[in-house]
Amino acid sequence: REICGFESRPPYFASLAQAKGAPFFYYNNVRVFCALTYYLHIGGFIMDQCSRCGKQYVYSKELRKKGYSKTICNTCRVTVARTKSKQKAVDYKGGKCEVCGYDKCLSALSFHHRDPATKEFTIGAKGSSIAWPRLKKELDKCALLCHNCHSEVHAGMVILG
């Protein structure tokens, strides 16, 4: 009960669970198997709490081989990796807006392709899944701009040199 929080959700019936010896309890004189408790018990999974966001997530040694972490959930792991990747890309391009010099907030900086015809991919769309040499090649075609200057470039108010 502590694992699945039975009181907070309706029970799930699993006839297969009975044959495999899953944990069970009685609810209104009916033998009930909670699907979450069943999978945690049979699959050797454990439930952990993310140290970054507090969300509960399922963890196993098999998931660890796929990149899951013992201390943070997969969502937070991806967020951290993307932030590190963007910081590396921003540092590579000089760390500040090429027009006004803004450098206070990483989220307020973006990459603008100088020539859209040479664009292979949108840098933000690929996140941290692109290898650094390929990302670096694409960054060489871009200007680092704050969002205000980026908007002004698209509006034709600022011309990049």
Side-chain angles (χ1 to χ4, degrees):
R1 278 191 210 197
E2 295 89 34
I3 293 174
C4 67
F6 167 70
E7 290 80 15
S8 65
R9 70 172 136 249
Y12 296 93
F13 297 92
S15 58
L16 181 61
Q18 187 174 5
K20 296 201 176 190
F24 67 91
F25 52 92
Y26 287 93
Y27 180 75
N28 292 340
N29 296 325
V30 176
R31 201 173 198 189
V32 174
F33 298 89
C34 170
L36 179 59
T37 304
Y38 167 69
Y39 287 117
L40 291 175
H41 175 74
I42 298 299
F45 295 101
I46 57 171
M47 192 164 242
D48 206 352
Q49 188 167 4
C50 177
S51 60
R52 193 166 183 266
C53 70
K55 182 178 89 174
Q56 287 195 330
Y57 67 101
V58 176
Y59 170 80
S60 76
K61 289 183 180 178
E62 291 301 315
L63 293 176
R64 178 72 174 156
K65 291 176 187 173
K66 294 179 181 177
Y68 285 71
S69 172
K70 282 185 176 181
T71 59
I72 63 172
C73 66
N74 199 40
T75 303
C76 289
R77 184 183 63 78
V78 169
T79 300
V80 168
R82 286 184 176 160
T83 302
K84 285 180 183 177
S85 178
K86 183 170 183 180
Q87 184 64 59
K88 187 175 179 180
V90 166
D91 291 343
Y92 175 73
K93 292 301 288 181
K96 61 184 180 181
C97 175
E98 292 180 18
V99 175
C100 69
Y102 179 85
D103 64 353
K104 292 179 186 173
C105 178
L106 183 65
S107 299
L109 296 171
S110 59
F111 301 97
H112 172 74
H113 281 84
R114 293 178 190 274
D115 180 10
T118 63
K119 180 189 213 176
E120 287 183 41
F121 57 88
T122 303
I123 292 170
K126 293 289 184 175
S128 59
S129 61
I130 296 293
W132 178 247
R134 186 169 173 217
L135 183 60
K136 195 170 151 181
K137 183 179 171 187
E138 195 66 23
L139 286 170
D140 290 336
K141 304 174 195 174
C142 296
L144 179 62
L145 303 172
C146 69
H147 285 310
N148 285 339
C149 292
H150 198 174
S151 296
E152 290 175 1
V153 167
H154 280 283
M157 297 170 66
V158 174
I159 307 291
L160 292 174

